[in-house]
Amino acid sequence: MSKKLLCDLHIHTRKSDGELSIEEVVDIYGKNGFDVIAITDHFLDSESLKNKNIDKKYRKSLLREELNDYYSEIERCKELAMEKYGLLVIPGIEFTANTRGFHILGLDVTEFIDPDQEVEPIVEKIKKQGGIAIAPHPVNGKTSSRHEGNTYLWDRLEKFRGLFDAWEIGNRDDYFSHVGMEGLNYVANSDMHSRKNISSWKTVLTCEKDVESIKEAIRSGNTEVMFYSEYSD
Ligand code: ZN
Ligand code: ZN
């Protein structure tokens, strides 16, 4: 009988616009007893990168020449996380096309994918390397304006319904009940940028703690969500 795995599959670090290093993130989730995390730093398309009107906090992005360092740092922390906490770390990217109004999470993605492409080729390339494609924060959030305007995917739901492996039903404090009402596969994540974001929606999977089983659980819609609150003394 597989046990339930507490997962956060959407986390930013200092490699893009997060406040913490990958190692600090590992320590926080490890100490909180998590089973699985995915590091998913922003990789902006060139339009979004040069658009000076974009909110400052969204401008920080991985650059193409930084990707190798990014993946080797994740790899280093992955070993440390498993050894120290039994925490599985999955490498990922958040393809971030702010000016076109969409973000795409790719999990277990380690080969270069150009963010200057349309939605379909990005998702196809995620899947081609065995990765998982998730539509994050698909609906404008009520508790924040963080994702204002990023509704390109949701506005074209019929077109993209079958393309993504899952949609975020929870992102930080926001809960998008429409995702459930539409019968879509779902996950829920912190979209962590700072320490306090650990208290947020999470994904719970019932499967073995290895990347292939985790991806299969998400693809088959074998997911639950819960709101996780960190207790402080
Ligand atoms: Zn996003
Ligand atoms: Zn994000």
Side-chain angles (χ1 to χ4, degrees):
M1 172 86 187
S2 308
K3 70 166 217 157
K4 288 189 188 276
L5 304 178
L6 181 56
C7 314
D8 193 335
L9 308 170
H10 185 170
I11 296 171
H12 298 279
T13 74
R14 283 211 288 268
K15 296 287 182 185
S16 63
D17 62 351
E19 290 175 6
L20 305 163
S21 69
I22 299 175
E23 195 165 337
E24 287 169 330
V25 164
V26 161
D27 277 330
I28 290 165
Y29 282 88
K31 285 174 185 160
N32 274 274
F34 276 71
D35 297 288
V36 184
I37 58 171
I39 306 295
T40 56
D41 273 302
H42 292 287
F43 188 19
L44 268 65
D45 68 353
S46 47
E47 272 305 305
S48 307
L49 257 185
K50 71 181 181 212
N51 189 333
K52 300 296 183 215
N53 296 323
I54 290 170
D55 189 326
K56 243 192 184 120
K57 69 178 181 176
Y58 284 123
R59 214 176 297 154
K60 186 129 194 327
S61 167
L62 285 164
L63 299 174
R64 184 172 179 172
E65 58 270 26
E66 295 169 352
L67 288 175
N68 283 345
D69 282 351
Y70 172 66
Y71 287 126
S72 30
E73 179 63 5
I74 293 177
E75 191 59 35
R76 187 183 73 80
C77 292
K78 180 181 171 175
E79 286 171 26
L80 189 141
M82 188 46 77
E83 213 170 280
K84 210 167 164 188
Y85 304 108
L87 171 65
L88 182 69
V89 178
I90 298 173
I93 291 272
E94 184 169 20
F95 299 93
T96 303
N98 288 325
T99 53
R100 292 183 283 160
F102 67 82
H103 294 184
I104 298 171
L105 283 180
L107 306 186
D108 200 27
V109 165
T110 51
E111 285 164 35
F112 172 74
I113 298 170
D114 190 346
D116 281 342
Q117 300 177 92
E118 295 301 319
V119 173
E120 293 93 333
I122 292 177
V123 170
E124 279 158 18
K125 280 160 192 156
I126 291 170
K127 290 182 173 177
K128 206 174 161 200
Q129 51 180 291
I132 290 281
I134 294 169
H137 45 73
V139 189
N140 275 340
K142 179 177 158 291
T143 58
S144 73
S145 57
R146 286 183 299 131
H147 303 115
E148 197 88 54
N150 271 312
T151 58
Y152 183 89
L153 302 176
W154 189 257
D155 293 345
R156 291 158 185 78
L157 180 60
E158 288 321 307
K159 184 176 175 194
F160 295 133
R161 176 184 286 275
L163 188 65
F164 287 90
D165 295 302
W167 299 64
E168 266 184 352
I169 197 166
N171 178 287
R172 191 135 348 135
D173 301 313
D174 285 324
Y175 191 81
F176 312 112
S177 55
H178 292 88
V179 169
M181 285 151 66
E182 288 289 345
L184 300 160
N185 283 355
Y186 54 76
V187 291
N189 304 304
S190 68
D191 201 352
M192 176 186 255
H193 285 74
S194 65
R195 175 74 178 78
K196 64 178 191 300
N197 299 150
I198 191 161
S199 295
S200 52
W201 286 104
K202 308 293 182 200
T203 304
V204 178
L205 302 176
T206 307
C207 65
E208 297 301 319
K209 199 192 292 186
D210 62 71
V211 180
E212 292 311 316
S213 306
I214 286 158
K215 291 193 291 189
E216 197 38 52
I218 297 170
R219 286 188 193 110
S220 60
N222 183 19
T223 62
E224 299 168 70
V225 300
M226 64 169 279
F227 194 89
Y228 179 84
S229 287
E230 184 184 32
Y231 295 101
S232 53
D233 314 320

